[in-house]
Amino acid sequence: MNKEIIKNGSQIVCESLLKENVEHIFGIPGGAILPLYQVLPEYPDLKHILVRHEQGAAHAADAYARATGKAGVAFATSGPGTTNLVTGIATAQMDSVPLVAITGQVGRPVIGTDAFQETDITGITLPITKHNYLVMETKDIASTIKEAFHIATTGRPGPVLVDIPKDILQEDGIFEYPESINIPGYKPNNSVNLKQIKKATKLIQESSRPVILAGHGIKISNAYDELLSFAEKCQIPVINTLLGLSSFPANHYLYYGWPGMHGMAYSNLILDQADLIIAVGMRFDDRITGNPEKFATSSKKIHIDIDASEVGKIIPVEVPIVANAKNALKELISAAPEKEHTEWLTQIDRIKNNHPTLKLRETDKLIPQYVIKQLHDLTKGQAIIVTGVGQHQMWAAQHYPFNDKNKLITSGGAGAMGYEVPGALGAQVGRPNEMVWSIAGDGGFMMTMSELATIAENRLPIKIAIMNNGFLGMVRQWQELFYEKSYVSTQYNGIPDFVKLAEAFGIKAMRVKDKTQVKGAINDAVTHDGPVLIDFVVESEENVYPMIPSGQTVQDMMEEPSSQEIK
Amino acid sequence: MTIKKHKLETRTVTALVNDKPGVLNRITSMLRRRGFNIQSLAVGHSEIEDLSRLTVIVEGGDDIVEQITKQLHKLIDVIKVTDISDESIVSRELALIKVKSTPETRSEIVQLVSIYRAKIIDVSSKSIIIEATGDYQKIKALQDLLENFGITEVMRTGMIAMNREKN
């Protein structure tokens, strides 16, 4: 036996991670995972970033994955360490993000005895992972990690958790990384059914009012160029989902915004008036469809998605194409005819001009939409934007249009407040040479602001813009509109001084209360060589419009505030 | 004891799954969290080593069974899923039924059991345990009849089903 390859379980984990080209790990050590941490110095190519809370590790690894297209890796110890990962794992599951969580478990002899810091994390994460493992033999570590990365990154990506008992991490074994793996129950479909392409082509040929509805699948499968070629060849307007933003240039003449509950009025109206929707890499989320029975009823649907279970789940589909978006679009580009839709494009331009959603209202007050618009202009629309969840997220998506690829990182399906700071951390680690702006809400910021310490420690030049309205703004908006302004538990009485707080972490900070200070502050932040936090004290009761109330239709869209609402 | 009287459309789905700890948990967890109603679920070893076969009787129409099939297929530990509802199949379930008996009713029960080709596997002074095998309808019919004597306990295995070979 070759002595070289005898390693303990912890070393086998690290060797396997190197084989998977892992460069960064976000995590926190603890008792059960300690043996793994103790071998990390032997593997300098695995750079560990010590976060301050495991939720931060999961969100950072998730954002890292979204920013780079590689799997993000998080480490946590058993018990509370792993349960703190749960929100981040659920976020990755909802948004199809390849995340591999490696967690320490109590030793095999005490599993099931309610040992100290024992939690059944495979049981807990069973419904929120693509798959998970409890490794019970040292010899299974390498193959399990290989499977975990394969499952996380292929097909419809998603989180995979690998739980490893402490005694296995300490036990000697033989490191042998499998060349290939065979998982009989997991064969992601990489081919495109050409019969379906033919059917789709026929619908495209017959359509006079087609729309492409492009989602996260474009970014995941790196189908940016294919989307562009397809849209241009067939002259079909493109509408993005929230997670699809920055998959198609916003300054392109075929781009028509994003739809849904807070999407552009014209995008919703165009979808409603289309006679064909070509949905690519998206899943008809309820924030897009409202009432699914009344969603875009005048159109036929072509639905391209890698996950067969998404086809027909919410909306009946005439032509399903179960395939990777890139491969399917390639086939469509070669099969579909060159077309002109002059009349339709004129019609939708008229809709767009009649519904100028993105026009800012004239006011001397400091409104968050204005801040984001300035942020866009002063960063030339080229920053990576990471948001939390709520009003500021919607304003960021509305007023920070993207022309470049993969620039928006946001928690969509899970809607996890607190994503903004650790998300920015992960994005900056993944793309160190680009400027990362975290557009934060004051509520979400306070959920995970401990990661300011991680940002400061690693001198990451992240810029954080808090849209500080003193409220859980989106909830307050619902209370205003649907609960007779009964603001139960949404107003913060006693917001900390975010400037002093950031300074306490060693981060440069500014407060902006006046519209005239906005540009100066943003320019200062842009030119500062290090992290900056700007506390924008914005109008407290500004609402996000347009709005289609939950479960309703485009006919129920509230396009702008009623006159008495404007203060 | 009440037996559900409402009639529901049911479909039969079989699946080949890994015979590993936690696999049944993954399957039932998925069915539960997506709100699928199942009438029965039976699982046991298959003819292939390390693989089990399960039969799920699902309540609902085509849309629902299509979703269940796809969602089952998405589970890594599920190798193959087949909706066999529209095919020619045989299906069987085993039930143990404990029914109250007196010297006066015993012979009537024995008669019923023999009509249904069920078996008596235990007799005491106050009750009889009956073993019945059949499809869902047959067992339900026998159970309905035995109800008149007073059923004290029912244990059912859940339906298992198999395609008939085409001639």
Side-chain angles (χ1 to χ4, degrees), chain A residues 93 122-123 126-133 151 156 183-186 307-313, chain B residues 18 20 22 25-27 29-30 32-34 51 63 66-67 70-71 73-80:
Chain A
Q93 170 82 344
T122 44
L126 190 147
I128 54 161
T129 47
K130 187 171 173 186
H131 196 53
N132 64 22
Y133 297 88
I151 290 171
R156 178 181 180 174
I183 311 170
Y186 182 70
D307 181 351
S309 74
E310 289 301 344
V311 172
K313 188 182 81 174
Chain B
N18 283 330
K20 284 201 299 208
N25 191 8
R26 289 179 198 278
I27 291 163
S29 165
M30 185 280 291
R32 172 193 56 78
R33 77 175 181 270
R34 295 201 180 264
L51 294 182
D63 290 0
E66 186 184 325
Q67 259 302 306
K70 287 173 172 176
Q71 294 294 349
H73 197 71
K74 251 168 91 168
L75 299 174
I76 311 291
D77 283 316
V78 174
I79 316 286
K80 195 178 176 206

Side-chain angles (χ1 to χ4, degrees), chain A residues 172-243:
Chain A
D172 276 348
I174 290 165
F175 175 66
E176 198 178 356
Y177 208 62
E179 291 279 305
S180 63
I181 37 167
N182 176 28
I183 311 170
Y186 182 70
K187 303 278 179 225
N189 175 28
N190 286 320
S191 63
V192 185
N193 185 332
L194 294 179
K195 272 189 198 154
Q196 296 303 96
I197 293 289
K198 213 170 164 185
K199 284 184 197 162
T201 307
K202 185 160 176 282
L203 286 191
I204 293 167
Q205 202 131 29
E206 288 164 1
S207 163
S208 54
R209 302 189 310 278
V211 174
I212 297 167
L213 182 49
H216 198 192
I218 302 293
K219 290 152 95 173
I220 294 170
S221 68
N222 191 11
Y224 303 92
D225 297 345
E226 288 76 9
L227 175 62
L228 190 64
S229 312
F230 175 55
E232 285 179 348
K233 180 176 182 190
C234 302
Q235 288 294 299
I236 303 177
V238 175
I239 287 177
N240 271 143
T241 68
L242 177 68
L243 290 187

Side-chain angles (χ1 to χ4, degrees), chain B residues 105-122:
Chain B
T105 60
R106 193 169 292 145
S107 63
E108 203 179 332
I109 294 171
V110 171
Q111 245 177 342
L112 271 177
V113 166
S114 101
I115 291 167
Y116 276 85
R117 290 187 202 148
K119 270 193 250 172
I120 289 171
I121 53 174
D122 188 63

